[in-house]
Amino acid sequence: MEHQTMTFMGGWSYELAAHELAHQWFGDKVTCATWQDLWLNEGFATYLSGLCYEFLAPQYWPGWTRAQVDDIVSLPDGSLRVSDTTDIARLFSSRLTYRKGAMVLHMLRWVCGDSAFFAGCRNYLNDPDLAYGSAYTADLQAHLEAASGKDLDGFMDDWYTGEGFPTYTVEWTQDANGLVMLQLDQSTSHASVDFFELPVPIRFKNGSQDQLVVLDHTSNGQLFSIQLPFQADSALFDPDTWLISGQNLVLRVPVLAFGQDRAVLYPNPADGDAILYLGNSVQDPVRLRIMDQSGRLVREQDVVVADRRIPLRTAELSGGAYTVEVTGAGVALRTVLIKQ
Ligand SMILES: [Zn+2]
């Protein structure tokens, strides 16, 4: 609990002291105008306690951001905006008003860039219409927009009014010349937002080199090509935790079939287990059929597609060429398998 120039605390901890001190600016110098805007007090105070780690005790910063996100995504719903301001439990929800508030500020910093974000926050605190008075959420948005030159309506619709968060699937492959092809998809945890438009950071690395790339994600199925100066052995999704996102999946695929009506076998020729990669996202079971060169059906089974992959046993097949066909669930794909 804090009052101008004075903090009352029921205990002593680094974070609590930082949080209450931050309220001297965010809460006391500029007070939330309505209970709807409570996150301006508590989100900022929580974020500033995190920033104390980032700038004064950086060894604790990655764990702090991760812990905020883990708590926020522990449930699929909840907006920063408080629809029922008589609901005290919701008003002071640590998951939403405090932690989501803090991480939405962190994402605003990521979207606006450090210099514009911090300039916008200083302008907000020093605005003569707000200082030693009160502010609405729209006042903060206006200052961040003025400092960054960005329109933040879409962001605020998704992250202040909307509920939930995205969970990403990254599929990537790299050719011998270093060119990475990547498809980025997201699902959302709540129907109030059908797509979160965000800059998405991915770090490619190998044992001695790494490179961070930022992908401007505007639609599902979006394809990116990225020229790297090295062969990557892994890709890390949002390695510095800028985003609120769920249990993301990064898949390195040996061949590209993304977004196409195409099925690709790897390895091919095959002499043991192979994987059939589908270009289409398929949720339902599909019918897998394998025909030999004379058109004779040698295998037919229903298979479940996981992450666009169908495992294919070839051990029982004798050497030669086969047609592999996948039908059902809205797809009809064919490819050729060479059994060694
Ligand atoms: Zn507080």
Side-chain angles (χ1 to χ4, degrees), residues 2 19-20 23 42 45 98:
E2 81 299 331
H19 179 110
E20 303 304 342
H23 274 317
E42 300 305 342
Y98 290 68

Side-chain angles (χ1 to χ4, degrees), residues 68-194:
Q68 310 308 303
V69 172
D70 287 348
D71 186 43
I72 295 162
V73 305
S74 63
L75 291 170
D77 58 357
S79 66
L80 262 192
R81 184 177 175 280
V82 180
S83 52
D84 178 4
T85 55
T86 65
D87 181 350
I88 304 297
R90 166 60 198 89
L91 266 180
F92 289 94
S93 158
S94 60
R95 183 174 76 90
L96 297 174
T97 302
Y98 290 68
R99 295 199 174 109
K100 185 173 178 183
M103 288 306 290
V104 165
L105 290 167
H106 190 53
M107 284 195 293
L108 281 164
R109 175 180 164 194
W110 171 242
V111 168
C112 294
D114 267 28
S115 58
F117 173 77
F118 288 114
C121 292
R122 275 193 295 274
N123 295 342
Y124 165 84
L125 286 173
N126 294 325
D127 183 336
D129 291 336
L130 309 179
Y132 308 106
S134 57
Y136 296 93
T137 297
D139 294 319
L140 176 68
Q141 182 183 340
H143 275 294
L144 293 175
E145 287 182 340
S148 67
K150 291 181 188 294
D151 178 348
L152 298 172
D153 280 347
F155 181 95
M156 295 303 282
D157 284 349
D158 291 349
W159 290 105
Y160 173 69
T161 314
E163 304 186 39
F165 52 88
T167 296
Y168 291 91
T169 301
V170 180
E171 291 174 282
W172 69 284
T173 189
Q174 187 176 25
D175 73 12
N177 299 318
L179 184 71
V180 168
M181 286 294 294
L182 182 151
Q183 179 170 330
L184 187 57
D185 292 293
Q186 65 170 262
S187 58
T188 62
S189 66
H190 192 270
S192 59
V193 181
D194 55 16

